[in-house]
Amino acid sequence: MNEQTPVTTAPAAKAPKLPNTETVTEVKHYTDRLFSFKCTRPASLRFRSGEFVMIGLMGDVNPKTGKQVPLLRAYSIASPSWDEEMEFYSIKVQDGPLTSKLQHIKVGDEIFMKPKPVGTLVHDALIPGKRMWFFATGTGFAPFASLLREPQTFEDYDEIIITHTCRQADELIYGRNIIESLKEDELLNEVIGEGFWKKIKYYPTTTREESAKMGRITDLINSGEAYKDLGVEPLCPQNDRAMICGNLAFNLELKAMLEAAGLEEGANSKPAQYVVEKAFLD
């Protein structure tokens, strides 16, 4: 497993110089494919935990026009709605129009951010239930990093199960660190209640590299192995609610599985029993 590189931090950032820009305050690199960063939060920005915003950097000069335009992509907000900073979790794509540049940001750099958060992975899109399932692959963990630090999650549900499927074991570092940090978070333990994190059942799996649990979460659920490992009953519409954030094939397969179990897809305008983040593609 690769070691996590040192964290780079900065003192309180100065006000952004350009319209709709925020200043990078922290960058962490986990593997040669994954990194996270924090930046200042617009004073007027309000969002619900689980939503996403458009962020980006200035693109290259167009040889025909001689102009530059921002490269913007949808990024789930990994920080909770109450946080004073914005946090994001990203892949690195060497030839990606945005991530080929974004992966090289440093503390003090500026990024563009459109101040209009949207998304379906919010509590308002679900009807009340007893148990919450968060299903993630890769950087699809990001919105759940936000929701796992949102008091409402623990007020609304008796049990929270977070599954995270990645190719290699070191790709699980970010998610595991988030969950472990909850135990030591004095503010959340005070606001939600001492030991609130005991409601969480964390189920990480890998598909290529040997780890404690191998396999795709969909296969492990279909075989019943996941239920046995977690000590829970199979999915049912009376008790279970779910949120999905992963690659397109994963999303479609899980949607079919949840609907076969009797759960209906919800939306902000019509809450139901599960929701899918359509803007995310890992």
Side-chain angles (χ1 to χ4, degrees):
M1 181 179 292
N2 295 344
E3 291 187 0
Q4 182 177 319
T5 57
V7 180
T8 53
T9 58
K14 297 180 180 179
K17 301 175 183 178
L18 301 173
N20 294 324
T21 60
E22 298 301 321
T23 304
V24 176
T25 59
E26 179 180 296
V27 182
K28 294 181 183 179
H29 292 272
Y30 300 92
T31 74
D32 59 0
R33 294 187 66 248
L34 298 167
F35 72 107
S36 68
F37 64 94
K38 293 182 180 180
C39 66
T40 53
R41 175 174 176 168
S44 61
L45 180 64
R46 299 291 180 270
F47 69 92
R48 295 174 295 176
S49 293
E51 291 188 313
F52 65 86
V53 290
M54 301 294 290
I55 65 171
L57 297 170
M58 189 64 75
D60 295 329
V61 175
N62 186 312
K64 295 181 179 179
T65 64
K67 297 181 179 179
Q68 288 178 285
V69 295
L71 290 169
L72 297 170
R73 296 289 185 274
Y75 267 74
S76 291
I77 304 169
S79 48
S81 60
W82 49 264
D83 205 326
E84 294 180 355
E85 290 186 307
M86 305 289 284
E87 181 181 349
F88 300 95
Y89 184 42
S90 178
I91 58 172
K92 305 175 186 179
V93 180
Q94 299 310 316
D95 57 353
L98 177 58
T99 58
S100 61
K101 300 175 182 295
L102 194 63
Q103 64 185 289
H104 299 299
I105 58 172
K106 305 181 300 297
V107 168
D109 288 348
E110 291 185 333
I111 64 167
F112 289 97
M113 183 184 302
K114 285 196 172 183
K116 184 172 175 56
V118 292
T120 56
L121 300 185
V122 293
H123 288 303
D124 294 344
L126 296 173
I127 57 178
K130 295 181 179 180
R131 181 171 60 188
M132 169 64 81
W133 291 78
F134 292 143
F135 294 105
T137 63
T139 53
F141 192 94
F144 305 136
S146 174
L147 286 157
L148 285 168
R149 291 178 282 183
E150 171 57 54
Q152 186 180 349
T153 302
F154 301 90
E155 294 168 2
D156 289 357
Y157 298 96
D158 298 329
E159 188 173 42
I160 298 96
I161 299 174
I162 170 73
T163 80
H164 191 198
T165 300
C166 296
R167 299 170 195 169
Q168 299 177 325
D170 56 7
E171 295 174 346
L172 297 167
I173 293 173
Y174 176 79
R176 185 174 66 245
N177 286 355
I178 291 290
I179 292 171
E180 286 297 317
S181 70
L182 298 177
K183 300 176 183 179
E184 308 301 326
D185 194 311
E186 295 182 2
L187 175 62
L188 286 178
N189 274 280
E190 180 179 347
V191 172
I192 303 173
E194 193 70 30
F196 74 95
W197 46 269
K198 293 178 182 178
K199 285 188 174 185
I200 299 171
K201 289 188 175 182
Y202 175 46
Y203 196 66
T205 70
T206 57
T207 57
R208 294 189 183 178
E209 184 180 13
E210 189 72 27
S211 68
K213 176 58 64 174
M214 298 283 295
R216 300 165 67 243
I217 185 60
T218 47
D219 293 337
L220 293 167
I221 287 177
N222 281 329
S223 70
E225 187 173 345
Y227 298 134
K228 182 178 179 181
D229 290 340
L230 291 163
V232 299
E233 295 297 317
L235 287 156
C236 73
Q238 290 75 31
N239 298 324
D240 293 295
R241 303 295 174 260
M243 295 185 180
I244 307 170
C245 192
N247 60 64
L248 182 58
F250 174 80
N251 290 357
L252 293 175
E253 187 175 2
L254 258 174
K255 274 171 58 74
M257 290 173 59
L258 292 176
E259 291 181 3
L263 280 71
E264 296 181 3
E265 185 172 2
N268 282 282
S269 58
K270 188 181 179 181
Q273 292 144 333
Y274 81 90
V275 285
V276 182
E277 183 52 87
K278 299 177 175 64
F280 176 83
L281 289 178
D282 178 37

